[in-house]
């Protein structure tokens, strides 16, 4: 029976398989030797592999061109996302990337974003930035259009470029200065609805990562400069990751070190004071900043940084920048007791905070704020991880009068997604309000924002899935699923190649447009096999001597590098 190839429908003039399926005709500049590229040995493996496999080229520091094969994979990630977003009723739009400074000034982020923001001026000297994220822009947009509760809820997302002048752009697409993000923003009438949205989106994100097929970890997270009250991150575990994730092997609780720091260090003490509900914990964080965290049954309620201006003055600034001051928390909560855990390194390591005088000032400030007696515990809490006790488990075990406590394990990880429950952090300053169902004052919209680092995911997949021969694409996002390599120009081989191509596309709908033929018969078979392994197609099928001898195609699985020789009529079943 005559099989009509899709190729023929689109390219009726082409002879046999069309140009777009031939390696010789597509833009795939693989390189075996990377000495000519501007990278060095410390670069992540994914970066080197993406250059060698012809996926990306550098334009300037942290700025890259994505070549056709990278874009094919990216589009597959986008498709997976689009489906899950449609399933939760989110609609796609596109926001500008050249943003006026006005809204950023109103939310305070024009200042707080610091030098990570790419700033520029137009010819009239008006200030702009290149969008690093879009909370301000979308809040203005929705705020203008939404007047009543009837127009809510709303879920809007986009997939586009973001710009951040990163201090240390590195590992290629893992930390770029221009990168691709999918960002979803949600708008609800009440905190409860917003929380339900948060849970729904979290489930959709889980499905997205399950479909991509790379193992991931969800961690309790700090919400940084974006702000908000509840936050989680999605991570791929990898030694080049810049985050440290602490995971309890017993209950599975995971937290980013940024978030967990205060929570983890003095666990023994926390567990023995668990009935006191709330504790205050001091610890030294990154850059020798003092971290103060407030815990409730071992769960972090709030984390703040203490910044010492000099040895006389200090101010407490909330790390999460969500307008919740640690002083307010101390004031407004009815503590049964306050325990202050002072890490010994506090007084010895930190140059800014050395002075005992300053320390005593901090303590008396805190004592003046809280209405209950405080007790101060000194200890060596900081140098205990990994091997601290899991907060969730330790609390359970204390409540059960059991002694078994579990160590937390630290893993390096790459942050690939981040979800934030924002509350009214943006809707309030930008006056995005609605008239509620029951007459009353206008209320600010309850928001959430949810980012997926698409270009970072692409690189992170490669970072976690490769071997000495090259990339190992998960089938879900491989640029092409199959590469057929005819060993020579011999007419039998050529015709069989065409037949194999037809057989595959007619057997599985999923293989339509997913097959490449490495027709560069001027290159040796060995060279082309190496190339195919470098690019990492899940399947490689070779038509060569063995085929001429026995009519069997060599089918190689990239992941296992195992070969199985199959007759044409066995291939269909094998793939299905
Ligand atoms: P990081 O901690 O790695 O700097 P972030 O916490 O600043 O990331 P978010 O503001 O949470 O990033 O942005 C959402 C997502 O965008 C991140 O989870 C990450 O996947 C991606 N992302 C952030 N910065 C970059 C970057 N410089 N290059 C590529 N992807 C990035
Ligand atoms: Mg960042
Ligand atoms: Mg982060
Ligand atoms: Mg983040």
């Amino acid at each position: 029976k005559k099989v009509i190839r899709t190729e023929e429908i689109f390219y009726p003039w082409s002879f046999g398989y069309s140009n777009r399926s031939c390696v010789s005709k597509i833009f795939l500049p693989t390189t075996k030797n990377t000495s000519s590229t501007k990278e060095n040995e410390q670069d992540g493996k994914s970066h080197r592999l993406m250059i060698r496999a012809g996926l990306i080229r550098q334009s300037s520091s942290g700025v890259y061109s994505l070549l056709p094969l990278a874009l094919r994979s990216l589009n597959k990630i986008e498709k997976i996302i689009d489906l899950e977003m449609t399933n939760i009723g989110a609609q796609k739009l596109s926001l500008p990337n050249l943003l006026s400074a006005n809204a950023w000034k109103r939310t305070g982020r024009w200042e707080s974003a610091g030098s990570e923001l790419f700033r520029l001026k137009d010819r009239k000297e008006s200030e702009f930035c290149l969008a690093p994220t879009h909370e301000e822009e979308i809040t203005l947009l929705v705020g203008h259009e939404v007047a009543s509760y009837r127009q809510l809820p709303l879920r809007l997302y986009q997939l586009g470029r973001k710009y951040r002048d990163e201090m240390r752009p590195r590992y290629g697409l893992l930390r770029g200065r221009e990168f691709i993000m999918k960002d979803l923003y949600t708008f609800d009438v009440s905190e409860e609805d917003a929380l339900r949205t948060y849970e729904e989106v979290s489930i959709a994100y889980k499905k997205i990562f399950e479909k991509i097929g790379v193992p991931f970890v969800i961690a309790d997270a700090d919400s940084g400069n974006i702000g908000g009250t509840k936050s989680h991150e999605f991570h791929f575990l990898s030694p080049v990751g810049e985050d440290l994730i602490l995971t309890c092997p017993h209950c599975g609780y995971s937290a980013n070190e940024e978030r967990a720091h205060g929570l983890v260090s003095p666990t023994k003490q926390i567990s023995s004071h668990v009935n006191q509900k709330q504790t205050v914990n001091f610890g030294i964080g990154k850059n020798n900043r003092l971290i103060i965290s407030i815990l409730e049954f071992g769960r972090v309620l709030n984390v703040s940084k203490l910044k010492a201006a000099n040895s006389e003055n200090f101010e407490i600034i909330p790390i999460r920048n969500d307008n919740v001051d640690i002083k307010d928390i101390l004031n407004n909560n009815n503590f049964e007791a306050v325990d202050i855990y002072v890490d010994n390194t506090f007084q010895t390591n930190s140059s800014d905070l050395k002075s005992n005088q300053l320390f005593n000032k901090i303590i008396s400030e805190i004592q003046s704020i809280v209405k209950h007696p405080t007790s101060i515990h000194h200890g060596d809490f900081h140098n205990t991880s990994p091997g601290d006790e899991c907060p969730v488990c330790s609390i359970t075990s204390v409540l059960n009068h059991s002694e078994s406590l579990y160590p937390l394990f630290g893993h390096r990880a790459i942050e690939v997604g981040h979800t934030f429950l924002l509350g009214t952090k943006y809707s309030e300053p930008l006056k995005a309000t609605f008239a509620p169902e029951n007459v009353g004052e206008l209320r600010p919209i309850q928001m959430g924002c949810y980012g997926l680092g698409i270009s970072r995911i692409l690189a992170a997949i490669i970072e976690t899935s490769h071997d000495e021969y090259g990339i190992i694409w998960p089938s879900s996002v491989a640029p092409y699923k199959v590469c057929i390599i005819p060993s020579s120009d011999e007419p039998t081989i050529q015709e069989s190649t065409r037949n194999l191509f037809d057989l595959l596309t007619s057997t599985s709908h999923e293989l339509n447009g997913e097959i490449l033929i490495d027709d560069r018969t001027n290159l040796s078979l060995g060279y082309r096999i190496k190339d195919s392994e470098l690019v990492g197609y899940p399947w490689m099928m070779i038509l060569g001597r063995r085929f001429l001898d026995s009519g069997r195609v060599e089918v190689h699985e990239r992941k296992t590098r195992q070969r199985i020789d199959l007759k044409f009529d066995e291939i269909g079943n094998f793939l299905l």
Side-chain angles (χ1 to χ4, degrees):
K1 80 182 181 245
K2 167 101 175 102
V3 181
I4 299 177
R5 295 187 287 271
T6 24
E7 321 292 322
E8 279 173 354
I9 300 169
F10 293 110
Y11 298 88
W13 58 87
S14 77
F15 169 73
Y17 34 84
S18 80
N19 284 352
R20 65 173 182 161
S21 301
C22 292
V23 174
S24 69
K25 300 291 190 301
I26 64 173
F27 187 45
L28 176 55
T30 55
T31 53
K32 297 283 189 306
N33 180 358
T34 51
S35 56
S36 60
T37 56
K38 296 177 215 125
E39 37 157 18
N40 55 47
E41 280 301 303
Q42 292 102 281
D43 282 347
K45 289 263 169 37
S46 62
H47 185 199
R48 222 168 317 146
L49 282 170
M50 289 186 90
I51 289 173
R52 288 179 53 204
L55 300 176
I56 58 168
R57 287 294 182 264
Q58 188 177 57
S59 170
S60 62
S61 166
V63 183
Y64 291 85
S65 296
L66 300 175
L67 307 192
L69 262 68
L71 209 58
R72 282 181 66 97
S73 286
L74 207 98
N75 288 341
K76 289 183 182 181
I77 298 176
E78 184 172 359
K79 246 189 179 164
I80 292 173
I81 292 172
D82 282 343
L83 181 69
E84 295 306 328
M85 288 299 100
T86 309
N87 283 344
I88 59 163
Q91 300 163 69
K92 205 169 188 174
L93 47 46
S94 177
L95 300 166
N97 270 328
L98 186 59
L99 303 179
S100 155
N102 295 340
W104 287 75
K105 287 186 176 163
R106 284 164 69 185
T107 60
R109 289 213 292 182
W110 188 255
E111 290 305 318
S112 66
S115 46
E116 213 174 273
L117 203 59
F118 275 106
R119 298 157 201 265
L120 59 161
K121 284 184 181 165
D122 69 8
R123 61 176 76 207
K124 294 179 195 142
E125 292 287 303
S126 308
E127 291 177 296
F128 286 83
C129 66
L130 295 180
T133 174
H134 280 89
E135 285 76 20
E136 279 80 359
E137 193 61 22
I138 195 129
T139 309
L140 278 185
L141 176 81
V142 169
H144 277 133
E145 305 307 326
V146 168
S148 145
Y149 74 94
R150 287 196 189 83
Q151 292 160 280
L152 296 171
L154 258 186
R155 296 171 181 184
L156 299 168
Y157 77 103
Q158 63 169 348
L159 193 129
R161 296 191 181 237
K162 301 278 187 265
Y163 300 84
R164 296 183 186 179
D165 195 357
E166 298 280 355
M167 184 132 68
R168 267 186 296 279
R170 56 176 171 170
Y171 303 142
L173 298 190
L174 282 182
R175 185 172 294 285
R177 295 199 299 163
E178 177 181 86
F179 60 96
I180 300 175
M181 199 204 283
K182 172 261 163 185
D183 40 336
L184 164 73
Y185 304 89
T186 62
F187 303 85
D188 281 288
V189 293
S190 65
E191 279 180 56
E192 303 82 73
D193 284 10
L195 190 61
R196 258 195 302 277
T197 297
Y198 188 88
E199 305 297 345
E200 253 184 74
V201 175
S202 302
I203 291 169
Y205 271 28
K206 268 185 229 165
K207 287 186 186 160
I208 290 168
F209 283 110
E210 276 160 12
K211 281 191 183 167
I212 290 173
V214 173
F216 61 95
V217 172
I218 302 176
D220 227 355
D222 186 79
S223 52
N225 189 38
I226 307 265
T229 48
K230 190 180 172 98
S231 180
H232 291 89
E233 287 165 354
F234 290 75
H235 286 269
F236 290 171
L237 300 182
S238 157
V240 305
E242 295 184 64
D243 288 86
L244 182 69
I245 302 300
L246 299 164
T247 300
C248 171
H250 182 68
C251 71
Y253 173 82
S254 289
N256 192 321
E257 168 212 33
E258 291 169 2
R259 169 81 166 160
H261 182 89
L263 167 153
V264 175
S265 301
T267 315
K268 284 216 173 91
Q269 283 73 11
I270 292 170
S271 53
S272 63
H273 290 268
V274 71
N275 290 325
Q276 296 174 344
K277 283 193 185 146
Q278 285 177 318
T279 53
V280 179
N281 165 32
F282 283 31
I284 302 288
K286 279 184 193 155
N287 308 327
N288 262 344
R289 286 286 176 78
L290 182 70
I291 306 270
I292 304 175
S293 43
I294 299 201
L295 302 99
E296 188 179 51
F297 287 120
R299 258 193 66 78
V300 173
L301 280 184
N302 184 276
V303 186
S304 296
K305 275 193 278 211
L306 188 87
K307 196 175 105 190
N310 54 48
S311 60
E312 297 303 317
N313 302 309
F314 65 93
E315 56 176 321
I316 297 173
I317 48 171
I319 284 182
R320 284 156 52 194
N321 225 347
D322 50 8
N323 302 327
V324 184
D325 193 302
I326 199 153
K327 289 184 198 167
D328 292 338
I329 294 208
L330 287 170
N331 270 324
N332 298 337
N333 282 277
N334 217 355
F335 290 103
E336 290 181 22
V338 171
D339 286 88
I340 298 175
Y341 296 103
V342 184
D343 196 314
N344 286 335
T345 52
F346 165 59
Q347 283 166 83
T348 53
N349 275 0
S350 166
S351 54
D352 279 340
L353 300 167
K354 253 181 208 155
S355 120
N356 269 332
Q357 216 186 339
L358 174 64
F359 169 74
N360 290 330
K361 231 175 136 179
I362 296 167
I363 298 299
S364 57
E365 165 102 354
I366 288 177
Q367 282 171 331
S368 74
I369 294 170
V370 296
K371 294 148 199 137
H372 297 270
T374 46
S375 42
I376 298 171
H377 311 260
H378 289 265
D380 202 356
F381 308 124
H382 184 60
N383 299 321
T384 46
S385 72
D388 294 306
E389 314 302 345
C390 166
V392 176
C393 287
S394 64
I395 282 150
T396 329
S397 58
V398 168
L399 293 179
N400 296 339
H401 305 289
S402 118
E403 284 303 309
S404 53
L405 299 173
Y406 301 93
L408 283 176
F409 292 117
H411 313 267
R412 287 268 139 219
I414 304 171
E415 179 190 330
V416 286
H418 201 159
T419 59
F420 305 81
L421 189 62
L422 293 172
T424 59
K425 172 172 165 130
Y426 296 91
S427 52
E428 238 169 295
L430 297 172
K431 308 236 171 357
T433 55
F434 66 97
E437 184 166 8
N438 307 313
V439 268
E441 280 181 17
L442 293 182
R443 288 198 200 138
I445 304 175
Q446 295 287 338
M447 288 176 56
C449 75
Y450 310 83
L452 288 176
I454 306 296
S455 49
R456 179 181 285 184
I457 288 174
L458 200 67
I461 289 172
I462 297 172
E463 200 59 59
T464 55
S465 182
H466 67 263
D467 62 14
E468 61 199 285
Y469 306 100
I471 301 168
I472 304 174
W473 284 107
S475 179
S476 59
V477 296
Y480 288 90
K481 287 196 183 8
V482 180
C483 181
I484 304 176
I485 312 183
S487 65
S488 72
D489 275 337
E490 265 175 78
T492 343
I493 298 274
Q494 288 292 301
E495 182 169 349
S496 304
T497 299
R498 206 152 46 228
N499 290 341
L500 179 59
F501 184 91
D502 288 341
L503 174 75
L504 294 175
T505 41
S506 62
T507 303
S508 163
H509 182 64
E510 283 183 16
L511 290 181
N512 234 319
E514 291 295 327
I515 303 167
L516 264 188
I517 298 166
D518 194 341
D519 60 335
R520 299 172 298 172
T521 43
N522 58 320
L523 298 172
S524 76
L525 182 61
Y527 181 96
R528 286 180 289 153
I529 289 174
K530 283 210 178 99
D531 231 32
S532 159
E533 294 205 297
L534 170 62
V535 179
Y537 314 103
W539 299 97
M540 169 168 70
M541 299 189 184
I542 300 171
L543 292 161
R545 186 99 334 257
R546 194 169 279 109
F547 180 72
L548 291 176
D549 290 347
S550 66
R552 287 173 192 271
V553 181
E554 281 181 43
V555 178
H556 295 247
E557 186 184 19
R558 177 65 186 87
K559 191 164 57 185
T560 57
R561 295 191 85 235
Q562 279 183 355
R563 191 191 88 204
I564 170 164
D565 297 337
L566 295 173
K567 292 214 157 114
F568 265 41
D569 56 6
E570 295 165 331
I571 288 180
N573 270 342
F574 179 76
L575 287 176
L576 290 177

